[in-house]
Amino acid sequence: MTHPIQHPTDALRLDDPKALADPQATWDRLLERYPEGLAPVFLSKGVPAWLMLTPDVHQQVLQDPGTFARDVDHWRDLHNGVVPENSPLRAIYTKRRNVWNADGAEHKRYREIVVRALSNISQNEIMAHIDEVVDRVVDTFCTEGRTDLVTRYAGVVPLLVLCRLYGMDAREGVAVCSAQRQVWDGTDDALHVHAQLQRRMTALVERRRAAPGRDLVSELIAAGLDDEEIRDHLTFITAAAHEPTAHTIAHALWLLLGRKNELVQLNSGRTVREAVNTSLWHAPPMHTLIGRFATRDAEVGGRRVAAGDCLVMGFGPAQQLLRRDERLDTETNRAYMIFGLGPHACPRAGRDLGLALAEKAVQRIDRRLPDMVLVDEQWQGVSAGRLSGVESLRVAFTPADRIYEGAPWQLSASQSTPETSTETRPRTPFTRRGRWLRWIWGE
């Protein structure tokens, strides 16, 4: 099936890990080839899109929701056969009743509800949740003397904090965290576990309707959302908050541990904030994100974008271009692109929560394990084409005592999982990334 605008055959494929193994070099090539800021790309074989490269193009597109909508119904190729029936993109972009998928008045209503719900939770309570989760997670490995800070720390702390904010008790939060790791790891029963997680979210909403508490779910219920809307919002908030925060924690720790030889003290709040800022500028958790669909023909970056075309946000190339300005201080400036622009930008309450969680997690583990050193000097990252940005960060330290009495939390998937079921467990050919994204945006 033909496309209104024929992309060159050598256009970048965003699902090709080899093409994005060196993101900085890739973005430099695209910025040189398409200096006006819009590059033709393929999301997968035969599925065309436009990648936004410059801040100016992002401003034009993201500040004009009338021309560039979030509603996937405007994506022509999702409905005319260009996106294959078996493509993970179809699962990723199933329409959901949450703030991410809505436009106009519906989006404004959802956004106001979410912002109010987050703002109504006490900041002292949030900080207490973070402190407890961090200490309990550190307790799971502090006596061992060695660990991987990605899989056993950064990769679990944000999700566990979110579970607490949703109103889950410790046991349920640990079970959800363990099960969610199965989904993200793309195990054969990932979709089955995902279905269990969805039922857990629905059951949580039902419990909070009967017995409200001081938590996010109770706030969403009080705002008038129905069970499906709350479940879809919890699914989106979890996806939007966990992975970027986990990546930032891991990368900031890598930066700071590498500078310990310079006598940099991680306990300094300023030093931690600088490391978090630097991480977000130089190694954004997401280099690209499918984000807008043209509602009518428009001129963008010197090119004609046709109604129904898909546009991809390019946080990686846009921030790389901004970093060329020598006046930009990446240790203190917080105007990163990854929080978005326009009506769909991450609200300040959500941004501040993510940054506070990242900073607290970095600073507190150093207080618990002050002599941590890197076992591997090389940063173990993955290509820009994958949303997950971290694979491994191995450290050694002097074994330390646990803070909490009793058995530590069991965070491995084999030790703590949601209840089993007699249902047939579905198996799919999707890659780990496809399965993980499938959970993010709903099945």
Side-chain angles (χ1 to χ4, degrees):
M1 190 169 293
T2 59
H3 188 267
I5 299 176
Q6 294 295 320
H7 281 12
T9 57
D10 64 344
L12 176 70
R13 276 186 58 172
L14 295 181
D15 66 339
D16 180 1
K18 292 182 179 179
L20 292 169
D22 184 351
Q24 183 169 338
T26 298
W27 305 145
D28 279 339
R29 286 196 299 271
L30 288 180
L31 287 165
E32 182 178 0
R33 184 172 180 180
Y34 305 103
E36 292 186 293
L38 195 68
V41 296
F42 290 101
L43 302 179
S44 59
K45 184 178 180 181
V47 181
W50 298 103
L51 176 63
M52 296 181 272
L53 301 174
T54 64
D56 287 345
V57 166
H58 281 82
Q59 284 278 0
Q60 177 187 347
V61 171
L62 301 183
Q63 298 282 12
D64 185 3
T67 305
F68 305 101
R70 263 296 316 144
D71 190 340
V72 72
D73 285 345
H74 295 287
W75 189 6
R76 177 190 57 255
D77 292 342
L78 194 65
H79 308 293
N80 66 5
V82 170
V83 178
E85 288 298 325
N86 63 348
S87 171
L89 290 168
R90 290 192 174 275
I92 298 167
Y93 285 94
T94 296
K95 196 168 181 177
R96 285 303 189 187
R97 298 174 66 200
N98 60 35
V99 66
W100 172 255
N101 287 274
D103 287 307
E106 185 181 29
H107 171 263
K108 182 180 179 181
R109 169 178 166 263
Y110 279 151
R111 183 182 175 89
E112 290 175 349
I113 288 173
V114 171
V115 170
R116 186 165 58 250
L118 288 171
S119 301
N120 284 346
I121 300 176
S122 163
Q123 291 301 303
N124 289 336
E125 199 164 352
I126 291 174
M127 291 299 107
H129 284 318
I130 295 173
D131 286 345
E132 183 195 0
V133 165
V134 166
D135 281 332
R136 286 193 177 274
V137 172
V138 173
D139 277 359
T140 66
F141 57 77
C142 65
T143 63
E144 299 172 15
R146 298 173 74 91
T147 196
D148 183 337
L149 291 179
V150 171
T151 59
R152 299 188 65 183
Y153 186 68
V156 295
V157 165
L159 180 56
L160 287 169
V161 171
L162 289 170
C163 287
R164 283 303 184 89
L165 294 180
Y166 297 162
M168 296 181 184
D169 60 25
R171 184 180 179 209
E172 187 172 22
V174 169
V176 167
C177 182
S178 300
Q180 191 57 67
R181 293 176 70 183
Q182 288 182 268
V183 176
W184 288 333
D185 286 343
T187 58
D188 287 340
D189 60 353
L191 294 182
H192 166 74
V193 176
H194 162 62
Q196 292 181 334
L197 286 168
Q198 291 292 79
R199 289 195 292 273
R200 276 187 178 273
M201 292 296 188
T202 300
L204 174 63
V205 175
E206 292 172 353
R207 293 200 306 272
R208 281 295 172 264
R209 284 195 185 280
R214 296 197 305 269
D215 53 69
L216 187 61
V217 171
S218 298
E219 291 290 341
L220 296 177
I221 290 171
L225 298 187
D226 62 35
D227 289 5
E228 182 184 48
E229 288 174 311
I230 295 173
R231 185 199 67 193
D232 287 354
H233 274 89
L234 294 181
T235 301
F236 166 68
I237 291 169
T238 302
H242 172 79
E243 183 68 15
T245 307
H247 172 96
T248 302
I249 292 170
H251 194 266
L253 282 168
W254 174 74
L255 285 176
L256 288 168
L257 289 170
R259 293 165 60 187
K260 270 199 168 182
N261 290 336
E262 303 170 20
L263 302 180
V264 172
Q265 297 298 312
L266 273 66
N267 271 320
S268 163
R270 177 179 176 182
T271 300
V272 170
R273 283 192 296 273
E274 290 172 352
V276 168
N277 282 340
T278 300
S279 296
L280 290 170
W281 273 110
H282 291 267
M286 297 172 290
H287 284 260
T288 63
L289 181 65
I290 297 173
R292 297 295 182 271
F293 309 100
T295 62
R296 51 181 175 264
D297 293 355
E299 290 290 328
V300 181
R303 292 178 172 271
R304 185 178 73 86
V305 173
D309 279 1
C310 172
L311 292 95
V312 180
M313 290 176 277
F315 304 124
Q319 290 197 172
Q320 189 158 309
L321 188 61
L322 288 171
R323 292 201 310 270
R324 292 178 181 177
D325 188 341
E326 295 180 354
R327 295 170 297 177
L328 177 67
D329 183 352
T330 58
E331 290 188 343
T332 59
N333 190 301
R334 291 201 152 178
Y336 345 95
M337 297 290 297
I338 62 164
F339 289 114
L341 300 167
H344 279 85
C346 179
R348 181 172 181 176
R351 182 200 66 186
D352 290 350
L353 172 60
L355 292 173
L357 173 51
E359 292 172 3
K360 194 84 165 177
V362 171
Q363 193 169 15
R364 197 159 181 84
I365 192 173
D366 182 68
R367 291 177 179 173
R368 293 285 307 275
L369 307 172
D371 65 348
M372 279 189 303
V373 293
L374 290 173
V375 174
D376 299 316
E377 292 297 327
Q378 185 175 0
W379 166 245
Q380 300 293 316
V382 298
S383 74
R386 290 173 60 177
L387 202 57
S388 175
V390 192
E391 285 185 347
S392 176
L393 186 61
R394 291 181 285 274
V395 297
F397 50 86
T398 300
D401 294 334
R402 298 188 180 112
I403 287 180
Y404 288 92
E405 297 181 356
W409 285 354
Q410 301 298 313
L411 296 175
S412 68
S414 62
Q415 291 172 305
S416 179
T417 58
E419 64 277 1
T420 57
S421 169
T422 57
E423 299 173 16
T424 300
R425 296 187 176 187
R427 297 175 183 270
T428 75
F430 292 157
T431 62
R432 176 186 177 192
R433 177 174 180 263
R435 284 171 169 162
W436 186 78
L437 289 173
R438 186 183 184 96
W439 180 85
I440 289 182
W441 307 119
E443 180 199 345

